[in-house]
Amino acid sequence: MGEVYRARDTALNRDVALKVLAAAFAGDPDRLARFEREAQVLASLNHPAIAQIYGLEGLEGQEGREGTRSRALILELVEGSTLADRIAKGALPLDEAIEIARQIAAALEAAHEQGIVHRDLKPANVKIRPDGAVKVLDFGLAKGFEAAGAGPSSVSMSPTLTAATQLGVILGTVAYMAPEQARGKAVDKRADVWAFGCVLYEMLSGRRAFAGEEVSDTLACVITKDVDWSVLPAGTPRHIHRLLRRCIEKDPKRRLRDIGEARVALDDGAAREESASAASAAVAAPGPKPSIARRALPWIAGALAGSALTAAVAYVARPRPAAAPPQRLSLVIPASARYVGQYGGDLAISPDGTRIVYAALQDGTRRLYLRNLDQLDAQPIRGTDDAYNPFFSPDGEWIGFFTGAGSANGKLKKIAIRGGPPLTLADTAVPSGAWLPDDSILFTRSAGVIWSLYRVPAAGGSAIQFATPASAQKQWRYGTPDVLPGGRDILVSVTIGAPGFDQSRIGVMSLETGTYRTIVDQGYHPRYMPSGHIVYALDGNLMAVPFDARRLITTGPPVPLVDGVRSTPAIGEVCFGVSSTGFLVYDPGTTLGRAQRTLWWVDRAGNEEAVPVPPRSYVYPRLSPDGTQVALDIRDQDKDIWIWDLAGRNLRRLTFDPGVDSFPVWTPDGRRIIFASAPESNPLPSVLYSQAADGSGQPERLAEGASGQTPQSVSPDGTRLIFRQSDPKTAIDLYTLPLSGEHRPSPLIRTPFAEQNAEISPDGRWVAYQSNESGRDEIYVRTFPDAESGRWQVSTDGGSKPLWSRNGRELFYLAGEPSVLTSVMSAAVSPGATFSAATPRRLFEGPYFAGGLNNLGRTFDVSADSKRFLMIKDPVTDSDTSSDTPLVVVMNVFDELKRLAPAKR
């Protein structure tokens, strides 16, 4: 779009670069506007590594076209060759590549601070002066298509590709495009982070990270292929490897969020790595090379855990020597009371470091266990059945906890360490809270996907809303609060742009005014340490960042602390706790909620057969009416509906919306699938759509108006749909919707309780559903389509997610602890003029996925002959298969934090 000339500024007696808008584009208002916008962008930037602009001039009658007024940018003339020319001679030495990358990162950081995204960073847009100074060129430029008939495209030097797609517009150079650019989605500064990683990779290896003979081939590589890390030089430092992997991460939510972190890593990474390696070598035990976490944190044998932890209590009282090395011990939890760690926060340590409380499962019942570290055994805490996410009072004499996590009848409770009954303080379905110094408790409460903060006196009283996420800033959830010294401010996690904490920030919030300010751009579950640090979670690991509690600012870059901690990003919870005396306790488990789940056929006796579908984040499987296909709600990067062909063993994508498509339901003829769809940036307005099951045609919207809709079941004659809809006044209700004619919803069951997972019987006379009207979820049956002519309770000890057999003679449902031990129940149904069901019986049980906190949809299906059930399983981890579960206790973590993450004055 622009032609660059060397020119002489006679007024100021200097050489300049003259960038002229090509005559072919001079009459195009859009091209002209882009050219002028580039001038404005450059004028707003002032950085040594960014080529300067001196002015914007108009040119009359360029190339003999009378009346045509073009434009020219007067730019700084940068002598030297481009980085592309330098790479063409071969890979750069490590020191030279790092110095160039550092300057590029600094330039991008300066642009990002001004709200500017380059979008077209590549070696050809980087110049290196003879003195080694780097200049980044072409900010804000969008170039045109290559001329037709130009022959095979040069991917490395191809112009910026601008192509209309169904999803948006692609802007960038293909070899350096982030996947979201290649898909035509909106981009932010993380697209520059991706391109920076590709450029650094190319400098070190002499090869492009993604290459193909044609532009289309390269685009396919960007979207589908992994980087070949083996071509990096053998001596590439580990911190550079880590930086490259964080930059060239296909999922932007997992990518390095801020290019400034890359600059800091290049500046300080080598020194930190040398220090960390020396410390690791000093404590490493002989034997086979373990994982990073175990190299850094060697365990003492479980048989010694009791006596070692007894010594740990005495250690709290004695003076600590300066820079004492941390001591790490394993705390073994017997298999008879298996540690759960289901929701990521089922673990806490008292402020003085003498007690640990955790949730464990014994004889099918979840409850809290208390371990005094001067004793060998943990004791169950009576009155804590169904308890989640415990936390201590400031004096360590009380434990706050939650029951009924994820259900409408969830409670916040407290119980005394010395004994006594639990006291109920408030209603909440979200297990996340903190005990404040003024003897009040700050906790989260949900309204749909909005999680607000509430405050309630610990002695009892009314809960008062304290802070609500700012939807205008795309905030959705507050979670995992922690009080800061002085009791005037808290740390809090807040989700940005999506309800899960995968994309979240950590901020400081005033307890007096409720004002919020971000201090960590990516992370969740923050905990303050008196050493002057914040410990938090990111990508399943613990990070640490130095923090000034007086000025409420971070004072240095974040660094890794522990590799591999059990966590649940969906709700922002992590299995770790810290004490004011320098203790850290954590569960070295896996990240939950990102599971690469598998599908299994399970017969009525519990015998399993794997379904050969690729492992992915499956949630709600639905068998087609003829039993040949499975519609799958897959919650990974794309969040779409897919279909698995059982005979052909083929997985194909059905929906391509950039938002979240979920909850598939087949029509009885098997020709269409009804699903819910919501924008990724705003999950609240989920609405109903219908799509041909073979993928033809466009999705059809079924209902206008109210939001928060998810399909449940279609009547056997295909004329009516039952769907659930959230309501702030009546919780969750069931509605019917005609599938032909005017799509006007009508209420079916609307009460103050939560009714969901409705299923119409094969004869169309009954509807089974779950409701929490009794204080917990149970299975009920009503008449259909008139739900007022009768009601029967089927389950006797809790239940959810009902499903009819194809002949209508059985009603199946799930019972037990979700995601820990799930039972498939069956109640025989007798035909007749009125409904009649026998006492339910258990068919089989196992560690099948049942939804966890997300109790919104049915997570299993049954074959036409009712002999096999299609179940979902989470991946098996080491802690799932071992007889005993170890936790790790780290003593004197303060000195390690000061060594790994020193504050920068």
Side-chain angles (χ1 to χ4, degrees):
M1 188 173 74
E3 299 165 350
V4 181
Y5 302 90
R6 186 185 187 107
R8 184 70 176 175
D9 182 350
T10 57
L12 298 177
N13 195 28
R14 62 180 175 182
D15 289 337
V16 296
L18 194 67
K19 186 172 187 177
V20 181
L21 179 64
F25 301 133
D28 185 338
D30 179 62
R31 304 282 183 169
L32 187 60
R34 288 188 193 177
F35 199 73
E36 293 176 345
R37 185 167 61 247
E38 180 184 2
Q40 295 166 0
V41 167
L42 289 173
S44 69
L45 298 175
N46 182 16
H47 191 273
I50 298 175
Q52 293 182 325
I53 184 171
Y54 299 142
L56 172 65
E57 299 291 340
L59 301 177
E60 298 288 350
Q62 182 189 1
E63 297 186 8
R65 294 181 58 183
E66 295 295 329
T68 299
R69 183 177 177 83
S70 187
R71 295 288 188 273
L73 303 182
I74 304 174
L75 303 169
E76 175 187 1
L77 179 64
V78 182
E79 303 284 0
S81 60
T82 67
L83 181 57
D85 297 332
R86 175 63 184 84
I87 294 175
K89 299 176 182 178
L92 278 65
L94 178 64
D95 291 345
E96 182 181 354
I98 289 179
E99 176 57 26
I100 293 173
R102 187 190 62 77
Q103 295 183 63
I104 295 173
L108 293 176
E109 184 178 16
H112 293 174
E113 288 176 350
Q114 297 298 319
I116 296 168
V117 181
H118 191 294
R119 299 180 299 169
D120 197 19
L121 179 68
K122 57 184 177 182
N125 282 343
V126 177
K127 271 213 164 185
I128 306 171
R129 295 193 327 195
D131 62 359
V134 167
K135 293 285 185 177
V136 178
L137 312 176
D138 277 357
F139 266 86
L141 181 63
K143 300 179 182 177
F145 287 108
E146 288 185 85
S153 58
S154 171
V155 177
S156 64
M157 298 298 293
S158 65
T160 302
L161 182 64
T162 305
T165 69
Q166 290 182 338
L167 298 178
V169 175
I170 297 175
L171 293 172
T173 299
V174 291
Y176 308 93
M177 274 187 188
E180 61 268 26
Q181 279 181 283
R183 291 189 172 98
K185 296 184 177 180
V187 300
D188 56 21
K189 62 184 181 180
R190 290 172 293 181
D192 283 352
V193 172
W194 169 282
F196 170 82
C198 292
V199 170
L200 177 55
Y201 176 95
E202 191 168 341
M203 284 194 287
L204 293 172
S205 66
R207 296 173 49 178
R208 291 191 301 274
F210 302 96
E213 294 183 0
E214 301 287 342
V215 169
S216 58
D217 299 331
T218 305
L219 281 173
C221 289
V222 169
I223 295 173
T224 64
K225 300 296 185 181
D226 291 328
V227 176
D228 184 1
W229 301 108
S230 65
V231 302
L232 290 175
T236 304
R238 286 178 297 172
H239 75 277
I240 298 297
H241 273 280
R242 288 195 297 268
L243 174 61
L244 286 169
R245 290 178 183 273
R246 289 294 311 281
C247 291
I248 313 178
E249 166 60 57
K250 293 187 186 296
D251 184 354
K253 295 178 182 178
R254 296 173 59 85
R255 195 178 305 152
L256 190 72
R257 186 178 295 270
D258 195 330
I259 193 66
E261 296 179 22
R263 178 185 55 77
V264 171
L266 292 170
D267 286 341
D268 300 342
R272 288 202 310 270
E273 181 171 286
E274 182 180 353
S275 175
S277 298
S280 178
V283 298
K289 185 178 181 180
S291 69
I292 295 175
R294 286 162 174 79
R295 290 201 306 271
L297 304 177
W299 293 358
I300 293 178
L304 301 178
S307 59
L309 289 171
T310 301
V313 177
Y315 173 89
V316 174
R318 77 168 190 251
R320 294 195 301 267
Q327 299 182 35
R328 296 166 172 88
L329 315 169
S330 62
L331 187 155
V332 175
I333 300 175
S336 58
R338 185 164 64 89
Y339 171 66
V340 182
Q342 179 185 348
Y343 289 124
D346 289 330
L347 174 67
I349 187 169
S350 61
D352 63 2
T354 63
R355 301 183 180 104
I356 292 176
V357 62
Y358 57 86
L361 194 69
Q362 185 176 38
D363 299 329
T365 300
R366 165 196 275 268
R367 60 173 59 92
L368 295 181
Y369 283 73
L370 182 67
R371 171 73 178 267
N372 289 301
L373 296 188
D374 60 354
Q375 298 177 7
L376 294 176
D377 299 318
Q379 300 298 322
I381 304 176
R382 294 182 180 180
T384 61
D385 290 3
D386 190 35
Y388 297 82
N389 288 21
F391 56 97
F392 281 91
S393 62
D395 62 6
E397 294 300 316
W398 292 83
I399 296 173
F401 63 97
F402 301 85
T403 61
S407 65
N409 58 312
K411 306 291 182 185
L412 165 64
K413 299 182 178 183
K414 73 170 186 177
I415 193 167
I417 291 289
R418 308 296 178 184
L423 303 176
T424 299
L425 300 176
D427 297 329
T428 181
V430 182
S432 178
W435 205 306
L436 304 181
D438 66 355
D439 205 33
S440 66
I441 293 176
L442 198 66
F443 67 98
T444 43
R445 180 182 282 176
S446 64
V449 297
I450 299 295
W451 290 7
S452 300
L453 289 174
Y454 283 73
R455 198 168 181 171
V456 64
S462 299
I464 299 175
Q465 186 169 345
F466 171 67
T468 298
S471 58
Q473 300 176 23
K474 296 185 178 180
Q475 296 180 354
W476 296 110
R477 295 180 177 180
Y478 287 138
T480 61
D482 187 47
V483 65
L484 287 169
R488 296 184 299 272
D489 303 279
I490 60 167
L491 297 171
V492 66
S493 306
V494 57
T495 65
I496 302 294
F501 281 81
D502 272 319
Q503 186 169 340
S504 63
R505 298 173 183 171
I506 295 171
V508 173
M509 181 178 290
S510 169
L511 289 174
E512 298 176 356
T513 65
T515 55
Y516 167 87
R517 177 172 56 85
T518 297
I519 58 171
V520 177
D521 282 338
Q522 190 175 19
Y524 55 91
H525 200 117
R527 292 294 178 260
Y528 175 77
M529 298 290 282
S531 59
H533 294 82
I534 295 173
V535 177
Y536 64 94
L538 180 64
D539 293 335
N541 304 314
L542 288 186
M543 306 291 291
V545 62
F547 179 74
D548 187 327
R550 182 179 59 85
R551 295 185 293 161
L552 302 179
I553 60 172
T554 58
T555 57
V559 298
L561 178 63
V562 176
D563 180 19
V565 178
R566 185 178 291 265
S567 58
T568 309
I571 58 174
E573 294 285 359
V574 191
C575 281
F576 84 101
V578 298
S579 76
S580 60
T581 54
F583 277 54
L584 167 68
V585 58
Y586 68 92
D587 173 13
T590 58
T591 300
L592 307 174
R594 293 180 186 158
Q596 296 296 296
R597 300 187 180 109
T598 51
L599 299 181
W600 296 77
W601 286 114
V602 185
D603 66 19
R604 299 172 74 96
N607 300 309
E608 297 180 343
E609 177 187 349
V611 178
V613 63
R616 293 185 68 176
S617 295
Y618 303 117
V619 187
Y620 307 120
R622 293 294 182 272
L623 285 163
S624 61
D626 62 5
T628 62
Q629 301 178 91
V630 184
L632 295 165
D633 180 341
I634 303 181
R635 300 294 179 91
D636 49 24
Q637 181 174 342
D638 295 313
K639 300 180 178 65
D640 282 298
I641 307 298
W642 296 65
I643 294 181
W644 171 255
D645 187 325
L646 289 167
R649 298 187 175 185
N650 174 52
L651 184 65
R652 63 179 174 88
R653 186 174 175 181
L654 179 67
T655 64
F656 292 84
D657 186 82
V660 179
D661 298 330
S662 55
F663 300 97
V665 174
W666 293 86
T667 56
D669 60 8
R671 299 177 62 183
R672 300 191 71 82
I673 289 178
I674 299 171
F675 62 94
S677 183
E680 186 174 19
S681 61
N682 185 354
L684 284 177
S686 61
V687 293
L688 303 175
Y689 281 83
S690 174
Q691 169 73 53
D694 62 5
S696 62
Q698 295 296 317
E700 173 193 358
R701 182 165 177 173
L702 296 180
E704 301 288 342
S707 62
Q709 304 167 339
T710 57
Q712 308 271 272
S713 178
V714 178
S715 60
D717 59 7
T719 62
R720 293 185 183 90
L721 168 74
I722 294 182
F723 67 92
R724 68 180 288 276
Q725 181 169 293
S726 301
D727 189 298
K729 296 181 180 179
T730 57
I732 301 173
D733 304 309
L734 296 174
Y735 285 75
T736 60
L737 181 76
L739 292 179
S740 59
E742 186 177 2
H743 300 312
R744 177 169 294 178
S746 301
L748 177 66
I749 305 175
R750 194 165 185 261
T751 74
F753 308 104
E755 294 89 14
Q756 57 186 326
N757 290 321
E759 293 283 341
I760 304 172
S761 63
D763 60 8
R765 299 177 58 190
W766 319 102
V767 57
Y769 63 99
Q770 72 185 60
S771 172
N772 65 350
E773 61 184 87
S774 67
R776 66 177 177 183
D777 285 323
E778 298 281 5
I779 304 300
Y780 299 86
V781 169
R782 292 200 187 202
T783 54
F784 185 81
D786 176 12
E788 302 299 326
S789 300
R791 182 178 64 163
W792 298 265
Q793 181 174 334
V794 176
S795 60
T796 58
D797 193 23
S800 65
K801 305 172 178 62
L803 173 63
W804 297 91
S805 64
R806 296 292 180 92
N807 60 15
R809 299 296 181 89
E810 280 183 286
L811 188 59
F812 307 109
Y813 64 91
L814 300 185
E817 180 75 9
S819 297
V820 175
L821 198 62
T822 300
S823 298
V824 174
M825 308 293 292
S826 169
V829 176
S830 301
T834 186
F835 180 81
S836 176
T839 301
R841 62 189 182 92
R842 179 182 291 106
L843 296 181
F844 60 89
E845 66 181 10
Y848 301 109
F849 175 72
L853 279 178
N854 186 5
N855 199 29
L856 300 181
R858 176 161 49 82
T859 55
F860 74 106
D861 211 336
V862 66
S863 61
D865 60 8
S866 299
K867 292 182 178 180
R868 297 196 303 172
F869 295 81
L870 188 63
M871 309 296 293
I872 302 175
K873 293 179 75 172
D874 278 312
V876 177
T877 65
D878 293 341
S879 59
D880 294 328
T881 57
S882 62
S883 58
D884 294 326
T885 303
L887 302 177
V888 174
V889 178
V890 186
M891 299 183 295
N892 189 31
V893 75
F894 289 167
D895 289 328
E896 180 158 88
L897 286 169
K898 293 175 182 177
R899 178 182 62 81
L900 292 176
K904 290 191 173 182
R905 301 299 181 184

